Amino acid sequence: MKAILITTLVMGFISVSAASAAQEINRADGKEKIGVVSASNAYALDELSDVLSRKAEKQGATSFKILSTTGNNRLHGVAEIYK
């Protein structure tokens, strides 16, 4: 019973965090660029995107556009951030 409760609480926290993070966009039409963020050492593209989203949000951005990703075993990425 405790395990189910803990799992439910953790999943609820994750979904709330994801809902408030900056959103990835493909086009920046009508948005104001406010900077650039980067992230390193991600094992997967989803993980890299999540880190970039959190960094964008910390800088006050509502959206971000990934400019580049590189790496073999560990990924590095750069994204423009927008309001």
Side-chain angles (χ1 to χ4, degrees):
M1 187 64 148
K2 277 186 178 181
I4 293 172
L5 178 60
I6 291 171
T7 302
T8 303
L9 290 173
V10 168
M11 294 305 287
F13 176 73
I14 290 170
S15 65
V16 168
S17 295
S20 65
Q23 299 295 311
E24 185 175 354
I25 59 172
N26 292 322
R27 297 175 60 186
D29 296 341
K31 298 203 177 271
E32 175 189 356
K33 179 181 170 185
I34 60 171
V36 176
V37 293
S38 64
S40 297
N41 295 323
Y43 290 106
L45 289 173
D46 286 343
E47 180 184 357
L48 182 63
S49 180
D50 289 344
V51 173
L52 291 168
S53 175
R54 287 192 301 262
K55 285 187 171 189
E57 182 182 21
K58 283 183 182 178
Q59 293 192 19
T62 57
S63 56
F64 68 100
K65 179 174 71 170
I66 296 176
L67 299 175
S68 67
T69 59
T70 59
N72 292 322
N73 296 326
R74 300 251 179 129
L75 301 174
H76 171 79
V78 176
E80 290 180 332
I81 59 176
Y82 302 92
K83 274 196 172 195

